[in-house]
Amino acid sequence: MRFHIITIFPEFFSGPFEHGVVSRAESAGLLAIHVHDLRNWTCDRHRTVDDRPFGGGEGMLLKPQPVFEAVEAVLPARTQRQKVVLLSAQGRPFTQRLAREYAALDDLVLICGRYEGVDERVAEHLADDEVSIGDFVLSGGELAAAVLVDSVARLIPGVLGNEDSSRNESFSEESEGLLDCPQYTRPAEFRGWKVPEVLLGGNHEEIKRWRRAASREKTERLRPDLIASRERKQS
Ligand code: SAH
């Protein structure tokens, strides 16, 4: 799978993908990440990417022309297995479900906004999806794009070994709407806090039951919204 990131700060991405799972997957040829400088598609001497909003208001917007031309250069014809995503605070929430959907694509183009945002015609006529990574405002789409690449990359077949499998983790299809269970490692007692006894014995049925109950307890405590939506689905 190929990721294409369109940004005015290409250097931003020299760090985030150089570690762990994403870097290993890239070396193994399971994915490629292409970072494109939006300014390559500007036509003036100053390589201008922004302009003032019509109707007045604070700040500047990324203007449509370089963004359209950048995307059209990267994906001259769009197939069903190629998607263009605009990162935006106004977008629909990014979820593991969407990450799974994107992991099946050939190409994913990520447009990073800056300043006060991007001319709305990009959302209306260029992007397939407008996606937000949460209800807060970042100063640019670059961090959000890195979040998408990381979470999508680890779902591409072959990227995670058995050891760090994406099944049975929080938000996986197998987890049935519950968070992953709490996990402990050695020592069995640390500063007087003991690991739950059941995990130290070898009774796999009992461990399974404990984990399920602990998942449910933790989900109820930290994410009651997930329990509510799970109950809505079941009824
Ligand atoms: N004026 C906009 C915020 C612009 S922030 C508003 O109030 O909605 C500048 C850029 O940062 C955006 O164009 C977008 O690309 C990125 N960004 C900010 N918050 C984001 C979020 N929660 N998710 C994804 N991208 C975000």
Side-chain angles (χ1 to χ4, degrees):
M1 171 173 182
R2 290 171 299 266
F3 295 90
H4 310 266
I5 301 175
I6 297 173
T7 171
I8 60 167
F9 294 127
E11 329 76 62
F12 184 96
F13 295 97
S14 49
F17 304 135
E18 278 171 14
H19 313 276
V21 170
V22 174
S23 150
R24 262 185 284 137
E26 199 172 16
S27 307
L30 294 165
L31 60 88
I33 302 168
H34 303 286
V35 181
H36 306 273
D37 187 345
L38 182 64
R39 291 189 202 276
N40 292 341
W41 287 277
T42 52
C43 324
D44 64 314
R45 205 155 56 83
H46 301 291
R47 307 180 87 202
T48 312
V49 289
D50 58 330
D51 210 336
R52 289 194 305 275
F54 280 123
E58 296 291 304
M60 302 294 271
L61 296 174
L62 287 185
K63 55 189 202 155
Q65 170 266 325
V67 181
F68 270 78
E69 287 186 22
V71 170
E72 285 157 4
V74 170
L75 293 185
R78 213 174 298 172
T79 70
Q80 296 265 310
R81 293 171 58 91
Q82 298 179 314
K83 274 211 150 83
V84 176
V85 169
L86 171 66
L87 282 320
S88 159
Q90 302 145 39
R92 68 164 155 147
F94 183 63
T95 58
Q96 191 75 357
R97 176 189 294 255
L98 206 49
R100 278 195 293 273
E101 209 180 297
Y102 292 162
L105 296 174
D106 295 333
D107 292 273
L108 180 63
V109 179
L110 301 169
I111 303 169
C112 305
R114 273 279 155 181
Y115 315 118
E116 286 305 310
V118 184
D119 184 287
E120 189 66 17
R121 283 165 290 192
V122 168
E124 290 168 344
H125 305 294
L126 183 65
D128 296 295
D129 292 333
E130 184 174 357
V131 171
S132 162
I133 64 159
D135 292 347
F136 41 78
V137 179
L138 300 165
S139 49
E142 286 76 11
L143 276 170
V147 166
L148 257 75
V149 171
D150 189 279
S151 54
V152 172
R154 58 197 295 292
L155 298 177
I156 295 171
V159 166
L160 291 187
N162 259 348
E163 210 178 303
D164 36 18
S165 154
S166 66
R167 287 207 307 264
N168 290 314
E169 62 185 0
S170 305
F171 314 115
S172 65
E173 276 169 329
E174 293 81 359
S175 73
E176 294 166 20
L178 296 180
L179 298 172
D180 199 1
C181 61
Q183 309 241 44
Y184 301 85
T185 184
R186 285 182 292 183
E189 183 171 340
F190 174 70
R191 296 191 176 176
W193 298 299
K194 289 188 179 141
V195 165
E197 197 64 40
V198 50
L199 299 177
L200 305 178
N203 188 331
H204 295 294
E205 265 317 300
E206 241 175 71
I207 291 175
K208 217 168 134 185
R209 261 201 309 278
W210 180 88
R211 286 189 162 153
R212 189 145 182 93
S215 276
R216 183 161 180 110
E217 183 282 323
K218 192 163 185 185
T219 312
E220 272 166 358
R221 182 160 46 87
L222 299 181
R223 294 295 304 274
D225 58 307
L226 293 179
I227 298 284
S229 87
R230 188 167 177 260
E231 279 162 7
R232 268 201 308 279
K233 265 187 212 139
Q234 284 169 350
S235 64

